Amino acid sequence: MDGKMNRKTDKEKNKTERNNATKEAYMLPPIVEKRMQEAYASIRSGEIRQIREQGGKRMKGNGKRERKRNRYGRWAGIAAALLLVVAVPSAVYAAVVYFQKDAKQEEDRMIYEFSLNYELTPGEYQVTPAYLPEGMEDQGSGKYYGGDSQWITVMPLYTMAELEKANRRIVVENMDQVEHTVLSGMEADVITFREAEKYRANTYLFLFNEREGCVIHIVAGYEVSREELLKFADSLSVVRTGDGSYETGEEKAARIEAEKETKRQESEAAEAEDAMAKLGIPQEKIYGIGGELRTYDGAFGYTVTGYEFLDSLEGFGEEGFFDFSRFDGWLNGDKTLRPYLRQHYDSEGRLLSEEKTEQEILRVDIDLHCYDDQWDGSPIGEAPLDFQLDYVEKRQDGTFTWAPDEYAAVPSEEYWLQMDNSAVYINVASHTEGEDRKDFFFRRVGKGETIRYTLLFVVDKDRREDFLLSPVGSNYSRWQHESMTVEECREELDGYIRLQ
């Protein structure tokens, strides 16, 4: 998702702050001391400035902001009031505000830093909207859905405890603009991202509830209008449902250890994947036209008997397409395909190029033979007939390895013809109605039976030699780095078919 959250912790500082709050409950809170000194400095210098009470501009009962009059006498009253805090437990002040927020904008980053009042008990909360955009339904767990990009999600709240886990920081990356406003009586920021229309980027909202002790993070799909989103966010009620708690030393240590273990596993998986790529695809696992690819379990055998690149869909009935509506806007009158705007990214996710790309149709004829329709005494079910294009690189020694780069349509193109690089058409579909259609590319095949069928794919013209074919769901061992060695992963590959 757009926007990364930094959730590290500062153990020693948090521990010290909490111990001081417990042992010196009647001492002046640091934030009050800071404001009192600012007040005195202003009085002494004769300056007239504004001061924020309760960590933000004071809210009247009608929800509007009240700006304080800039008078010398008012400053004197504020200073006197601050002095009174010294004579009462600091919890009296603490009841007013749970945290202070400092927001900084650095080019395309928004950084929120929080000073927590550890004299208050963290809470747990329930957030409920009184307004939903038309067509949206409550899916539970803060999710509201109306189809496609018409959705709003209220993310898990940043309570005081969660803010501490996040090292008292929230960071949003790649932002374009931030609008400061007030929603549901809370200070709020509406954040949009760079080239939002081109990339169909989501919208972020943060609502800061300093009086209750939580930050509400809302994410909305690109198609949700600004007006509807703000109406939703301005209708929220926040109810405290119980007390939370900060992490104990043991819990924090366990979490840090779990995070280290996760990073270790991710690092090992990345190293194994690099090792797999360096070794490449075993030559004996690549079959040509007429060669049979047997699945590793031995149940099915696939043989490509022929293929052809076509300029148009002429002659193929719509009933054979899984979702012919995907072609809306991409077919010319003669059923040839229109070009689309494609981006090329390297393995690090850096954009290398963006260009209009011509596309064509690939027809593949396949024989599937069923060798075994039983598995551990139980029927396997239906045979998978779908294939996918696995993009590869051919090395100088003639061997192949998996391509690290990625190609994708610009999101604003609303282009879905090469979704998952799998087929768009099959001529022997038996699941064609209603919910049954989800099994469009499956068919019952008995032991000893052979099915002959045809698949169609959409392919970029400049990449027609950059892929191998494999049955959808096969070659699963390629990703089993946690439980298998690299050698075992390569050994258990089902295999690939090369159209040459």
Side-chain angles (χ1 to χ4, degrees):
M1 178 179 293
D2 305 293
K4 296 181 180 178
M5 305 303 176
N6 184 348
R7 294 177 172 266
K8 297 179 181 177
T9 57
D10 187 345
K11 178 177 180 180
E12 295 302 324
K13 187 172 181 180
N14 291 349
K15 181 177 179 181
T16 300
E17 289 175 342
R18 276 181 295 194
N19 288 341
N20 290 341
T22 302
K23 296 177 181 178
E24 304 173 14
Y26 289 87
M27 291 184 64
L28 189 66
I31 190 66
V32 178
E33 172 69 26
K34 179 177 182 293
R35 290 178 181 166
M36 184 176 70
Q37 294 303 327
E38 290 177 351
Y40 279 139
S42 297
I43 293 171
R44 284 193 298 268
S45 64
E47 294 178 359
I48 301 176
R49 298 180 300 174
Q50 288 184 323
I51 187 171
R52 290 186 176 184
E53 293 181 44
Q54 304 176 7
K57 296 173 182 176
R58 188 172 58 183
M59 306 296 296
K60 278 189 174 290
N62 60 7
K64 296 181 180 178
R65 296 183 182 275
E66 176 194 12
R67 293 194 175 273
K68 301 170 183 63
R69 298 181 180 85
N70 297 326
R71 290 185 177 178
Y72 178 93
R74 182 132 180 102
W75 274 101
I78 292 170
L82 291 172
L83 279 175
L84 290 176
V85 179
V86 181
V88 298
S90 57
V92 173
Y93 169 78
V96 176
V97 60
Y98 279 72
F99 61 77
Q100 298 289 324
K101 168 179 61 70
D102 181 33
K104 300 176 183 177
Q105 184 173 348
E106 299 178 355
E107 296 183 353
D108 63 348
R109 302 176 78 216
M110 195 71 191
I111 303 172
Y112 299 102
E113 296 183 334
F114 301 87
S115 299
L116 306 184
N117 190 335
Y118 287 100
E119 295 180 21
L120 288 179
T121 301
E124 300 292 339
Y125 308 88
Q126 180 177 340
V127 178
T128 306
Y131 173 81
L132 286 181
E134 184 177 357
M136 281 196 186
E137 296 181 356
D138 186 350
Q139 304 290 311
S141 302
K143 298 178 177 62
Y144 306 91
Y145 183 69
D148 296 328
S149 294
Q150 288 283 347
W151 55 266
I152 298 174
T153 297
V154 179
M155 304 292 287
L157 269 63
Y158 283 97
T159 64
M160 294 271 282
E162 291 302 317
L163 284 173
E164 187 190 45
K165 287 182 183 179
N167 199 26
R168 300 176 299 283
R169 298 178 90 230
I170 298 175
V171 180
V172 181
E173 305 277 1
N174 301 317
M175 58 158 286
D176 180 31
Q177 294 182 344
V178 56
E179 175 189 350
H180 306 293
T181 185
V182 176
L183 297 168
S184 294
M186 293 172 273
E187 289 188 16
D189 282 356
V190 182
I191 296 178
T192 53
F193 294 88
R194 292 180 298 179
E195 298 186 278
E197 181 177 358
K198 178 178 180 178
Y199 290 100
R200 297 296 190 256
N202 302 328
T203 302
Y204 277 19
L205 273 76
F206 288 97
L207 288 77
F208 305 96
N209 196 327
E210 299 174 349
R211 292 165 297 175
E212 293 292 337
C214 63
V215 178
I216 302 171
H217 179 198
I218 298 173
V219 182
Y222 171 79
E223 293 182 4
V224 179
S225 70
R226 181 182 183 280
E227 179 183 4
E228 290 289 86
L229 177 57
L230 295 187
K231 286 175 68 175
F232 171 90
D234 202 32
S235 74
L236 301 180
S237 63
V238 182
V239 177
R240 183 176 178 126
T241 58
D243 290 346
S245 61
Y246 294 110
E247 285 182 308
T248 64
E250 293 78 7
E251 290 171 338
K252 186 173 183 178
R255 175 173 59 82
I256 292 174
E257 190 61 33
E259 291 172 352
K260 288 180 179 178
E261 177 62 18
T262 298
K263 289 181 180 178
R264 184 190 65 78
Q265 292 177 359
E266 291 174 349
S267 177
E268 289 183 352
E271 290 175 2
E273 188 173 344
D274 288 343
M276 284 278 288
K278 288 179 181 178
L279 291 172
I281 302 171
Q283 286 287 77
E284 67 273 16
K285 297 283 185 176
I286 300 177
Y287 304 87
I289 304 300
E292 185 183 52
L293 185 161
R294 290 280 294 271
T295 55
Y296 189 78
D297 58 24
F300 303 112
Y302 300 89
T303 303
V304 171
T305 59
Y307 73 96
E308 183 181 9
F309 287 97
L310 306 172
D311 291 329
S312 80
L313 293 176
E314 191 66 45
F316 297 95
E318 292 186 16
E319 66 278 1
F321 290 86
F322 175 69
D323 184 1
F324 195 73
S325 67
R326 293 181 187 173
F327 287 87
D328 290 349
W330 297 106
L331 285 179
N332 296 306
D334 58 358
K335 291 192 175 183
T336 57
L337 291 167
R338 295 174 180 171
Y340 73 100
L341 188 59
R342 185 189 71 188
Q343 293 180 326
H344 176 194
Y345 292 88
D346 68 11
S347 60
E348 301 299 322
R350 291 183 291 260
L351 179 63
L352 301 180
S353 65
E354 179 178 298
E355 59 189 350
K356 279 288 185 180
T357 303
E358 298 289 338
Q359 48 187 338
E360 59 188 343
I361 304 298
L362 168 64
R363 191 203 78 235
V364 180
D365 301 320
I366 301 172
D367 283 0
L368 177 144
H369 183 78
C370 179
Y371 289 94
D372 188 1
D373 60 358
Q374 301 289 313
W375 182 261
D376 291 336
S378 301
I380 291 175
E382 298 189 315
L385 305 182
D386 199 4
F387 270 63
Q388 65 188 26
L389 312 180
D390 284 292
Y391 283 90
V392 295
E393 289 182 348
K394 187 175 183 180
R395 299 186 288 201
Q396 291 184 349
D397 62 359
T399 62
F400 290 89
T401 189
W402 299 274
D405 290 8
E406 291 189 6
Y407 292 77
V410 171
S412 60
E413 295 283 89
E414 300 289 349
Y415 175 88
W416 312 112
L417 296 183
Q418 297 187 50
M419 184 182 294
D420 301 324
N421 293 324
S422 59
V424 297
Y425 169 97
I426 187 170
N427 66 335
V428 294
S430 59
H431 302 286
T432 59
E433 302 295 332
E435 287 296 318
D436 196 38
R437 199 173 179 83
K438 68 182 186 298
D439 296 323
F440 193 77
F441 288 97
F442 288 82
R443 188 181 180 97
R444 181 65 191 173
V445 185
K447 184 176 181 179
E449 184 180 356
T450 297
I451 292 180
R452 295 184 174 180
Y453 63 98
T454 296
L455 297 176
L456 296 183
F457 301 83
V458 176
V459 182
D460 295 342
K461 285 186 176 181
D462 61 351
R463 303 191 74 198
R464 59 160 57 182
E465 297 181 0
D466 295 345
F467 61 82
L468 303 176
L469 281 169
S470 65
V472 169
S474 66
N475 297 309
Y476 186 69
S477 66
R478 179 186 170 189
W479 311 106
Q480 300 306 298
H481 304 309
E482 291 185 12
S483 58
M484 300 167 61
T485 66
V486 170
E487 291 74 17
E488 289 171 337
C489 290
R490 296 177 76 241
E491 173 64 27
E492 294 194 11
L493 290 171
D494 297 87
Y496 300 86
I497 295 175
R498 185 184 180 198
L499 300 182
Q500 296 291 339

